[in-house]
Amino acid sequence: MKLSVLYNLTRMWSGSLLFLFTQVILVSSLAPNDSCGWNITLETDAVSYVTTAGYPMEYPPSQHCTWVVTAPQPDNKIRIIFNPFFDLEDTDCNHDYVEVYDGGDELSPRMGKFCGRVAPPMIISSGSQLLIKFVTDDENNGAGFSIKLKSFKSTSQCSRNFTDPQGVITTPLFPKKYPNNLNCTFMILAPETSEIVLEFDSFDMEGDPLLLPGPKCQYDWLDIWDGLPEAGLHLGRYCGETSPGQVIAYSGILSMTVTTDHAITKEGFSANYTIHERSLPSGPKYEDKCRVNINLEIGRGNYLTSAGYPMTYPPSHECVWVLTAPEPHQKILINFNPFFDLEDTDCSHDYVEVYNGGDELSPSMGKFCGKVAPPLMTSSGNQLLIKFVTDNENHGGGFSVQYEVFKTAPQCSRNFTDPQGVIETPGFPEKYPNNLNCTFMILASNTSEIEVEFKSFDMEGNPLLQPGPRCPYDWLDIWDGLPAVSLHVGRYCGQELPHRVISYTGILSMTITTDHAITKEGFSANYTIRERSLPSGHEMKLWFHL
Ligand SMILES: *[C@@H]1O[C@H](CO)[C@@H](O)[C@H](O)[C@H]1NC(C)=O
Ligand SMILES: *[C@@H]1O[C@H](CO)[C@@H](O)[C@H](O)[C@H]1NC(C)=O
Ligand SMILES: *[C@@H]1O[C@H](CO)[C@@H](O)[C@H](O)[C@H]1NC(C)=O
Ligand SMILES: *[C@@H]1O[C@H](CO)[C@@H](O)[C@H](O)[C@H]1NC(C)=O
Ligand SMILES: *[C@@H]1O[C@H](CO)[C@@H](O)[C@H](O)[C@H]1NC(C)=O
Ligand SMILES: *[C@@H]1O[C@H](CO)[C@@H](O)[C@H](O)[C@H]1NC(C)=O
Ligand SMILES: *[C@@H]1O[C@H](CO)[C@@H](O)[C@H](O)[C@H]1NC(C)=O
Ligand SMILES: *[C@@H]1O[C@H](CO)[C@@H](O)[C@H](O)[C@H]1NC(C)=O
Ligand SMILES: *[C@@H]1O[C@H](CO)[C@@H](O)[C@H](O)[C@H]1NC(C)=O
């Protein structure tokens, strides 16, 4: 009980400290249903704040505040970031809530209505104005919110044409994160008799959560066309961390459109292209490439492609590829390009079959045809066989499959007893591995307090507005004491930095759990063990009125 109060106070401290030096807390006395709020015109490169009266202490009841925020230039957009310490006492947003509208009045589209204790995500206007509305009823008040506002130059002017025989195409700002609200078209223009080969070196766009139904790539995506955008052959839509790999266009034009939404951005992609004279696969050469044993290298994915992909594959062929991982205990992961097209409906004429082993006596993992790409597959041993069979008629575009050595999670549990130190996810700041299950314990004497402060945090989170459990994929649990049995301080995922945590039991435990797909940078935190010193009431007052 005492601990949870202290914990909450700690949360407030870090919340208020975050903005302490950059703002004056705005306190005004309000009559019931007093209207409040004002018009804010942002200055170029300057940061401004909107804060509920009294934040981070209780806000007054019966308020109705409206702030209209305007960017300095008509072609600017506005980015708003909520302080993670967010607290509007309501569960269904009927009584106390904050709303954001994408424009200067309440007739503009509403971008969200928020309440409870989870701070809303970053929001970006599509134009140069935003309206923020804060409504409270006459009871149950929380601590309110604080919002940081900044205007920035809109970056939707990103379309470009490429005509050089070779070049590099990247998302804007690459390798930094791409901007929100992009709508760019890249076109490679070449003579009609040439082929354009595009090869992706790196790819990361906000993806769909795994295994959730709904349209593919709902948030940010790349479309690729052999021909003009929308009109040419659609080669695929890509998002997440699955690279399109190599793409070939035969029409003399390769188009890409990049679309990003108003929240969460990634590094995007970098690809190089070469324009050369067309060369379709010829018989004997193709035969050579058709029965191959491939030895995988650690840390390096590669592709297998049906000849001519994504154009028509040759008839009457049988190809067999045997993939072998270097070590007997390793597994192989294969991932088909979503542009998959084998002209058959019952897989008796044209098909691709995957065997869980080095020969065709091994168990089949599936026989695939039609236009729906097979799912992600992992071998149980260090060999996998892919067989591709075509008959003498009706040919489709074929398939492309990426293969790599499946990374099994390293042993990562560790105990910390030094008076101070740094705790990080394995490999930080590189992405953490899949399939982790680690326990970190900070062990101190029972008269000490352990303070942990997070510097950066990013674990695969629950996508915005998806129902279901919090943190279904990867997460960090923190316990004040032993893992699983002591007081549970919280479960964390996504990009929201956990607040500073103080443990008074002499043990602070963290467990990290990650699933088989999508990894992020993880976190870095530092800790200090010191003799316990509880703050007196006087000190607390000081902290709040600084
Ligand atoms: C306060 O405003 C709300 C809606 O804006 C209204 O429903 C309510 O009756 C008002 N209360 C008072 C005391 O004026
Ligand atoms: C804010 O600006 C709008 C027009 O954009 C105007 O209607 C409103 O009265 C202004 N509010 C204040 C408090 O100045
Ligand atoms: C690229 O070329 C196409 C076709 O020639 C043209 O319609 C488009 O405006 C060009 N785009 C840019 C950004 O130059
Ligand atoms: C992107 O821009 C094109 C033309 O400029 C437009 O047709 C399309 O609807 C836009 N897409 C989005 C998602 O805004
Ligand atoms: C891309 O660049 C790499 C090396 O930088 C090169 O090996 C590859 O052939 C290039 N691909 C294309 C399609 O230009
Ligand atoms: C950490 O300490 C606990 C308790 O002393 C012990 O059970 C556990 O095995 C230790 N873990 C590691 C990785 O050393
Ligand atoms: C992680 O490991 C612990 C003990 O080592 C085990 O109890 C727990 O079930 C594991 N969790 C997962 C998700 O594998
Ligand atoms: C703290 O540990 C000491 C022994 O190391 C023990 O005597 C004492 O009872 C413990 N205190 C608490 C509050 O657990
Ligand atoms: C973490 O490190 C910073 C300096 O890098 C220090 O100011 C801070 O007190 C440390 N926090 C903890 C909890 O050790």
Side-chain angles (χ1 to χ4, degrees):
M1 184 60 203
K2 198 176 189 181
L3 180 94
S4 87
V5 170
L6 280 167
Y7 172 62
N8 277 327
L9 287 173
T10 312
R11 285 165 57 101
M12 285 188 199
W13 291 341
S14 49
S16 61
L17 280 171
L18 231 151
F19 285 166
L20 203 59
F21 299 106
T22 43
Q23 71 165 338
V24 179
I25 291 174
L26 307 155
V27 187
S28 54
S29 66
L30 293 155
N33 257 13
D34 210 351
S35 65
C36 52
W38 52 87
N39 291 345
I40 300 169
T41 302
L42 297 172
E43 283 168 36
T44 308
D45 293 331
V47 169
S48 201
Y49 293 87
V50 161
T51 303
T52 52
Y55 180 84
M57 303 297 275
E58 267 195 16
Y59 50 76
S62 306
Q63 289 198 82
H64 192 281
C65 310
T66 305
W67 292 272
V68 175
V69 186
T70 307
Q73 301 293 333
D75 66 339
N76 287 174
K77 294 181 179 195
I78 302 163
R79 176 188 297 127
I80 71 175
I81 298 173
F82 282 80
N83 187 311
F85 181 63
F86 177 90
D87 181 20
L88 301 189
E89 273 301 345
D90 200 343
T91 50
D92 56 4
C93 302
N94 279 332
H95 303 289
D96 292 1
Y97 57 86
V98 55
E99 280 179 327
V100 180
Y101 291 87
D102 194 12
D105 56 42
E106 289 179 41
L107 299 174
S108 310
R110 192 172 73 179
M111 300 176 89
K113 184 173 184 178
F114 309 98
C115 59
R117 287 167 186 269
V118 177
M122 179 167 83
I123 296 177
I124 291 180
S125 65
S126 59
S128 64
Q129 281 199 311
L130 267 184
L131 184 144
I132 300 165
K133 182 173 157 187
F134 176 47
V135 173
T136 73
D137 68 359
D138 55 5
E139 53 188 34
N140 290 339
N141 303 313
F145 61 80
S146 175
I147 305 175
K148 187 161 130 181
L149 310 160
K150 196 168 192 289
S151 70
F152 65 98
K153 233 177 141 48
S154 153
T155 44
S156 56
Q157 292 304 320
C158 52
S159 296
R160 236 187 105 185
N161 285 347
F162 298 81
T163 50
D164 289 343
Q166 52 194 28
V168 174
I169 302 179
T170 65
T171 39
L173 308 181
F174 183 88
K176 294 214 174 99
K177 293 187 174 180
Y178 53 72
N180 285 304
N181 303 308
L182 287 180
N183 181 9
C184 334
T185 303
F186 300 133
M187 287 169 68
I188 306 171
L189 304 164
E192 238 177 80
T193 55
S194 51
E195 67 184 32
I196 304 168
V197 182
L198 176 72
E199 214 172 296
F200 285 78
D201 301 324
S202 87
F203 189 90
D204 190 5
M205 294 184 74
E206 182 189 5
D208 296 320
L210 238 80
L211 312 175
L212 277 174
K216 219 179 106 67
C217 302
Q218 307 168 55
Y219 307 115
D220 298 346
W221 66 86
L222 164 70
D223 274 316
I224 308 182
W225 319 84
D226 184 356
L228 294 170
E230 308 290 339
L233 174 75
H234 189 218
L235 299 183
R237 171 164 292 190
Y238 303 91
C239 60
E241 292 175 44
T242 306
S243 167
Q246 195 186 65
V247 175
I248 306 177
Y250 296 93
S251 69
I253 300 177
L254 190 150
S255 308
M256 297 192 254
T257 58
V258 177
T259 309
T260 71
D261 71 356
H262 67 282
I264 304 185
T265 75
K266 303 280 167 174
E267 279 171 20
F269 61 79
S270 167
N272 58 342
Y273 74 86
T274 306
I275 298 173
H276 42 75
E277 277 303 295
R278 190 174 307 167
S279 67
L280 284 175
S282 57
K285 219 169 135 196
Y286 177 56
E287 281 299 337
D288 293 346
K289 291 170 79 177
C290 201
R291 287 190 164 267
V292 185
N293 292 329
I294 299 169
N295 293 315
L296 276 67
E297 285 170 46
I298 296 276
R300 190 160 186 281
N302 222 324
Y303 294 86
L304 264 180
T305 303
S306 57
Y309 179 83
M311 303 297 275
T312 310
Y313 49 76
S316 306
H317 269 80
E318 187 179 303
C319 299
V320 174
W321 295 279
V322 177
L323 310 179
T324 307
E327 302 290 336
H329 67 273
Q330 285 167 338
K331 299 176 181 183
I332 299 168
L333 176 73
I334 61 171
N335 190 357
F336 281 84
N337 187 313
F339 178 66
F340 180 88
D341 180 21
L342 303 189
E343 275 300 345
D344 201 347
T345 50
D346 60 0
C347 302
S348 55
H349 304 288
D350 293 0
Y351 61 88
V352 57
E353 186 162 11
V354 180
Y355 293 89
N356 192 7
D359 56 44
E360 290 175 45
L361 299 174
S362 310
S364 170
M365 298 175 81
K367 197 167 177 181
F368 307 94
C369 58
K371 290 179 188 275
V372 178
L376 210 71
M377 281 180 265
T378 310
S379 66
S380 53
N382 74 330
Q383 284 199 310
L384 200 121
L385 184 145
I386 299 174
K387 183 174 171 183
F388 177 44
V389 175
T390 71
D391 70 359
N392 57 4
E393 50 188 38
N394 290 341
H395 307 117
F399 68 90
S400 169
V401 59
Q402 188 189 28
Y403 54 85
E404 62 186 305
V405 176
F406 181 77
K407 294 165 207 80
T408 42
Q411 288 300 316
C412 51
S413 295
R414 233 186 107 184
N415 286 345
F416 298 81
T417 50
D418 288 343
Q420 53 195 24
V422 173
I423 301 180
E424 288 171 345
T425 39
F428 184 88
E430 298 294 314
K431 294 185 174 180
Y432 51 74
N434 285 310
N435 305 313
L436 285 180
N437 179 10
C438 341
T439 302
F440 297 139
M441 285 169 68
I442 306 171
L443 304 164
S445 78
N446 63 6
T447 56
S448 45
E449 66 185 33
I450 304 169
E451 180 178 347
V452 177
E453 198 178 326
F454 285 80
K455 301 281 181 198
S456 89
F457 190 89
D458 189 5
M459 292 185 76
E460 183 190 5
N462 201 350
L464 286 178
L465 313 175
Q466 291 284 356
R470 238 174 82 71
C471 305
Y473 310 114
D474 298 346
W475 67 86
L476 163 71
D477 274 317
I478 304 182
W479 317 85
D480 187 5
L482 294 170
V485 294
S486 299
L487 178 78
H488 188 217
V489 175
R491 172 164 291 189
Y492 307 89
C493 62
Q495 291 179 304
E496 201 175 298
L497 209 62
H499 289 276
R500 183 192 314 228
V501 177
I502 303 185
S503 155
Y504 297 95
T505 60
I507 300 178
L508 189 143
S509 307
M510 300 185 197
T511 57
I512 301 170
T513 310
T514 71
D515 70 357
H516 67 284
I518 304 186
T519 75
K520 304 280 167 175
E521 278 170 22
F523 63 82
S524 172
N526 61 342
Y527 74 88
T528 302
I529 299 172
R530 66 174 91 81
E531 275 306 292
R532 190 175 308 163
S533 70
L534 292 178
S536 70
H538 175 67
E539 277 167 350
M540 262 188 236
K541 266 198 176 138
L542 259 179
W543 280 64
F544 285 121
H545 290 93
L546 250 173

